[in-house]
Amino acid sequence: MHSSDNCGKQTSGPAHATNFERVVMTYQDRAVEPSHSGEGLRVEKEHAGKQANPEGSQQPIGEINQENASNGIGTTVQGLLADMLHKQTNSVDPTVQHAEEQDQLHDVTEGHELCSNDTSSGSDAGSSSGSELDTELGKCYYPSIEALENSRPPEVGMKFPTLEDAERFYSTHAMLTGFAARRGTNYKRKKFHLLCNRSGKLKPTQDLQRKRKVNVLGSQCQAKVIVKLHNEQWEFTGVKHEHNHPLCPSPSLTSFFLDHKYLSSEEKLFLRVLQQSRVNPRKAMNIFQRMRSNFGNVSSSNEKDMSNSQRVDQWRKENSDVETALKRFKELELRNLGFSYTMQKDEDNIVRSLFWTDARSKVDYEIFGDFISFSTSYSTNRHNMPFTPIIGVNNHGRILVFGCALLQDQKAETFKWMFQTFLHVMRGKLPKTIIIDQDEGMVKAIAEVMPQVRHRLCKFSVMRKAQEMLGAFMAARGNMNAELHSLVDNSLTEKEFEEGWAVLIERYDASENEYLRLMWKTRKNWVPVYFQADFYPFVESAEHGEGSNLLFKDNVLPKDRIEKFIEQYERIQEGIVKTEEEDTLQSATEPAYFSMQPIEKHAARIYTRQIFLRVQKELYYSTALNAHEIQGGAAYRLEKVFDYENPEFDRNSFEVLVDPGTHTFKCQCAKFTRDGILCCHIFRVFTQLGVIEIPAQYIVPRWAREFREERLKEYEEKCSKRTEERKRCVMLLGKMADIGKGICADSAKSGCFMLELDKVQEKLVGADGQIVLWSK
């Protein structure tokens, strides 16, 4: 291992380098030069004496060509650092030395950041062209603070303006997760594979002229993302998270990057020099640790004043953004009488959070507000305010938006304000079920504001977090990750899940893992088997997540101004209305049938088209099952005899209980209580028993074709009644005011009037002893 003072063989940048931080991102033969601090702009460089790689060739991220040094910056910095580090050799804090040893061990284990060093004598930077420096690996990726804060696991459907943005996103995720990414094969330069750096085979090479051995680490790891050019945007079309090797994330390195915002101006300048000298991030962190252990943190009053000034400027920018948004809200109020918004302000009267909704959303919530979901994972604005849409499902099974919020943070008090505001706007109507992300603040807020509402954590959110926290742990234990997913997805009873968990933990010797203990402790908050009796329509299906992604991740871009979020909200609502109109028209037409069974045609008459298609799929899948009577007309076992696409449970046998007296059917999979439609197993029993229509008790009204129109009429009648009551109230108050104005100067007349009012009040007392003059 080499010490940090001889890491990072320098190369000079262009003569016209500006104040921008130079970020060296090593994608093939390209250097990345940011357009502003912390973000990269790709610049093509042709290297003398270097042939271009053939299109589609595979080259690791980090393989770079060194240019001839044209100034003395690199040499001066190396000399300065060498002197400084030599002086500090005997004075470094033991904890710092230990941290360095750990980092060096991490470098060996992970193969994440191999420095571009030249330890051979008799050569310098000016003679490196075409030499061994051209073939050494160098990983010097400096992500921006925003990229670190907004990093999350890649998902299918994510879109980026450029290929470079997609690569930077995946490289940041890789660095925080504990592996390195590289660009792999491509197809006509329109489809690229971004791979784990251990995707290849182990190929150790030894240069006889060098003392150091360079290993291209490989274990044929299959983790990757596929990014494809589509409609002038680069989209993740395939994602595979599983690694077959230990992952080694570095919390200290992440913390170092997040602390950039607190660096003094001198430290930032020095860091820029290190970046220009291609000192990789880990070595830069070690240098700062040594400097601070020797010199301490020195900050002048001028720097403090500048820091305060910067905070004031930031507040002004945020408030000016909010002021523009408020103007837009007022315009929408004039255009849409049902539009409303609410602000949360701090003690300085600065707007910190916003919530808004419109008339149609209020009506939709009145009709379809039995189930809602919340998520903060879609995007944040330029002030890092989480964007939180409140989502429901209409009678076509499509996504609805009941309202949106931009929140100052993800603390419990902020979510509490959002939930209280939402319920106030929706006249206090509570949902029956809620599904949310794995967010401690949101869980606490719901428990305080809506304790009587059944709520659960999104399984996909929990399992994504588990992959982040347990990736290396499970990768070192063979098939543990796949078995964990199978256990969560396929358990049909609580006992089956709990016994399976115990076996899994014992098999992989995982009883001491703290995060697995936490998952077990909170199992009743997220494992699907504990929510079989609750209505969470289609949340276990991929279509539900894809629908949300299409609405928000493709329309709401990170770092947008608040006004842009409002504009996108309007577009999203317009798209929802258009889709609903199309679905309504389609539901009035005759669908295509796959069979001659009367029950299929009966379903087509009842359900909206999109729900019918789901029911039709269950009817079709029922033909792949055989039914065996196991208890005198009271219980049947369904055995799968043919495979079909995307089964909800990866198992071959199910049981259906039947009560002939009440004509009720209950399947182990509990699809009816979860989604509101019958499963293929019960449909197969219907075939066995000759049932030709769906029994009335198994037709959930919210999926019916006429449901929205019928509920809309009820809502209009309620609104009309409420309007009439308000009119009468206004008339009575006006009459009373006129009388009072005329007699209030005369005490005798006033007393007489009050006595008469008492007599009228006695006549209006109801049978229950309560006086009702008007409804609120």
Side-chain angles (χ1 to χ4, degrees), residues 182-242:
R182 67 183 180 87
R183 186 190 290 186
T185 57
N186 77 81
Y187 176 73
K188 295 184 179 181
R189 303 197 67 79
K190 293 184 178 180
K191 180 179 178 182
F192 287 83
H193 288 227
L194 304 181
L195 310 172
C196 172
N197 70 324
R198 294 196 177 188
S199 59
K201 297 180 180 179
L202 184 63
K203 296 180 180 179
T205 60
Q206 178 72 47
D207 191 332
L208 297 178
Q209 296 180 355
R210 301 180 61 120
K211 296 179 181 179
R212 183 163 65 91
K213 183 178 180 181
V214 177
N215 281 325
V216 179
L217 300 178
S219 61
Q220 295 183 319
C221 180
Q222 298 299 308
K224 66 179 178 180
V225 298
I226 301 173
V227 57
K228 185 177 180 181
L229 183 62
H230 180 68
N231 291 336
E232 299 183 353
Q233 285 188 308
W234 291 89
E235 180 178 357
F236 285 165
T237 58
V239 177
K240 189 169 184 178
H241 291 288
E242 292 77 15

Side-chain angles (χ1 to χ4, degrees), residues 201-391:
K201 297 180 180 179
L202 184 63
K203 296 180 180 179
T205 60
Q206 178 72 47
D207 191 332
L208 297 178
Q209 296 180 355
R210 301 180 61 120
K211 296 179 181 179
R212 183 163 65 91
K213 183 178 180 181
V214 177
N215 281 325
V216 179
L217 300 178
S219 61
Q220 295 183 319
C221 180
Q222 298 299 308
K224 66 179 178 180
V225 298
I226 301 173
V227 57
K228 185 177 180 181
L229 183 62
H230 180 68
N231 291 336
E232 299 183 353
Q233 285 188 308
W234 291 89
E235 180 178 357
F236 285 165
T237 58
V239 177
K240 189 169 184 178
H241 291 288
E242 292 77 15
H243 295 262
N244 64 356
H245 57 88
L247 301 177
C248 302
S250 174
S252 59
L253 187 62
T254 305
S255 176
F256 172 70
F257 275 110
L258 293 177
D259 284 344
H260 276 191
K261 64 182 80 173
Y262 304 111
L263 295 181
S264 67
S265 56
E266 288 81 1
E267 288 174 324
K268 288 179 180 178
L269 287 173
F270 182 59
L271 179 61
R272 190 171 297 123
V273 173
L274 296 180
Q275 291 172 320
Q276 290 172 346
S277 301
R278 294 184 181 172
V279 177
N280 73 32
R282 190 175 306 284
K283 304 298 181 183
M285 179 182 67
N286 290 338
I287 290 170
F288 270 85
Q289 286 176 331
R290 290 189 173 191
M291 287 177 60
R292 285 174 172 170
S293 67
N294 193 51
F295 303 113
N297 291 324
V298 180
S299 61
S300 66
S301 59
N302 290 337
E303 289 176 350
K304 292 180 180 178
D305 291 341
M306 184 178 296
S307 178
N308 290 334
S309 174
Q310 289 172 346
R311 279 196 289 268
V312 171
D313 289 342
Q314 178 67 15
W315 285 346
R316 286 174 179 168
K317 286 180 182 178
E318 292 183 21
N319 230 31
S320 65
D321 198 3
V322 170
E323 287 175 4
T324 304
L326 295 181
K327 289 180 181 177
R328 185 59 182 264
F329 282 153
K330 289 176 181 176
E331 292 174 4
L332 289 172
E333 274 188 317
L334 293 175
R335 248 178 28 221
N336 181 352
L337 295 179
F339 183 88
S340 61
Y341 66 94
T342 306
M343 300 173 289
Q344 182 189 36
K345 296 183 178 181
D346 62 14
E347 62 276 5
D348 297 319
N349 205 34
I350 295 176
V351 175
R352 292 305 187 189
S353 299
L354 288 167
F355 172 83
W356 67 93
T357 187
D358 59 25
R360 185 180 180 89
S361 294
K362 294 174 185 177
V363 174
D364 283 339
Y365 182 73
E366 179 70 24
I367 299 173
F368 301 110
D370 51 352
F371 161 77
I372 59 176
S373 67
F374 297 88
S375 177
T376 58
S377 65
Y378 296 112
S379 188
T380 56
N381 74 341
R382 61 166 60 180
H383 307 303
N384 292 320
M385 299 171 70
F387 174 64
T388 309
I390 302 172
I391 299 171

Side-chain angles (χ1 to χ4, degrees), residues 659-720:
D659 186 343
T662 58
H663 207 58
T664 57
F665 301 80
K666 184 178 181 181
C667 180
Q668 280 182 306
C669 75
K671 187 172 184 64
F672 177 73
T673 53
R674 291 182 291 110
D675 294 338
I677 62 174
L678 289 172
C679 62
C680 57
H681 317 110
I682 290 179
F683 278 129
R684 179 62 183 85
V685 174
F686 282 178
T687 302
Q688 188 84 355
L689 300 178
V691 178
I692 61 174
E693 287 191 351
I694 299 174
Q697 66 264 38
Y698 296 110
I699 300 173
V700 175
R702 79 171 335 269
W703 301 136
R705 292 165 58 175
E706 298 82 11
F707 179 73
R708 189 179 195 281
E709 287 69 24
E710 291 174 355
R711 292 296 302 273
L712 193 58
K713 289 179 181 178
E714 294 176 8
Y715 182 73
E716 289 173 350
E717 290 174 1
K718 187 190 296 184
C719 290
S720 177

Side-chain angles (χ1 to χ4, degrees), residues 40-276:
L41 171 67
R42 183 174 296 280
V43 178
E44 298 286 349
K45 287 184 177 280
E46 295 292 338
H47 299 281
K50 175 80 174 178
Q51 290 183 350
N53 290 329
E55 184 176 357
S57 64
Q58 193 164 331
Q59 184 170 357
I61 291 179
E63 189 165 336
I64 59 176
N65 293 316
Q66 306 289 340
E67 298 177 344
N68 295 339
S70 61
N71 57 40
I73 294 177
T75 305
T76 303
V77 172
Q78 275 196 330
L80 175 63
L81 294 180
D83 291 342
M84 181 184 69
L85 297 180
H86 177 71
K87 291 176 183 179
Q88 291 181 350
T89 301
N90 298 321
S91 62
V92 176
D93 190 336
T95 59
V96 176
Q97 289 181 340
H98 177 69
E100 283 189 67
E101 292 170 0
Q102 293 297 320
D103 287 337
Q104 289 173 346
L105 178 61
H106 181 275
D107 287 342
V108 172
T109 306
E110 182 184 4
H112 191 177
E113 295 168 358
L114 298 174
C115 300
S116 298
N117 293 324
D118 187 358
T119 59
S120 61
S121 59
S123 65
D124 57 22
S127 61
S128 64
S129 180
S131 71
E132 57 188 305
L133 288 177
D134 288 333
T135 59
E136 282 191 25
L137 291 174
K139 178 68 177 171
C140 301
Y141 172 51
Y142 284 78
S144 67
I145 295 171
E146 292 79 8
L148 284 159
E149 291 176 339
N150 297 323
S151 176
R152 63 177 186 268
E155 299 175 5
V156 173
M158 286 183 171
K159 293 184 178 180
F160 304 87
T162 66
L163 176 61
E164 291 72 31
D165 289 328
E167 288 177 315
R168 281 194 293 273
F169 177 89
Y170 192 54
S171 293
T172 301
H173 165 70
M175 189 192 76
L176 297 181
T177 305
F179 68 99
R182 67 183 180 87
R183 186 190 290 186
T185 57
N186 77 81
Y187 176 73
K188 295 184 179 181
R189 303 197 67 79
K190 293 184 178 180
K191 180 179 178 182
F192 287 83
H193 288 227
L194 304 181
L195 310 172
C196 172
N197 70 324
R198 294 196 177 188
S199 59
K201 297 180 180 179
L202 184 63
K203 296 180 180 179
T205 60
Q206 178 72 47
D207 191 332
L208 297 178
Q209 296 180 355
R210 301 180 61 120
K211 296 179 181 179
R212 183 163 65 91
K213 183 178 180 181
V214 177
N215 281 325
V216 179
L217 300 178
S219 61
Q220 295 183 319
C221 180
Q222 298 299 308
K224 66 179 178 180
V225 298
I226 301 173
V227 57
K228 185 177 180 181
L229 183 62
H230 180 68
N231 291 336
E232 299 183 353
Q233 285 188 308
W234 291 89
E235 180 178 357
F236 285 165
T237 58
V239 177
K240 189 169 184 178
H241 291 288
E242 292 77 15
H243 295 262
N244 64 356
H245 57 88
L247 301 177
C248 302
S250 174
S252 59
L253 187 62
T254 305
S255 176
F256 172 70
F257 275 110
L258 293 177
D259 284 344
H260 276 191
K261 64 182 80 173
Y262 304 111
L263 295 181
S264 67
S265 56
E266 288 81 1
E267 288 174 324
K268 288 179 180 178
L269 287 173
F270 182 59
L271 179 61
R272 190 171 297 123
V273 173
L274 296 180
Q275 291 172 320
Q276 290 172 346

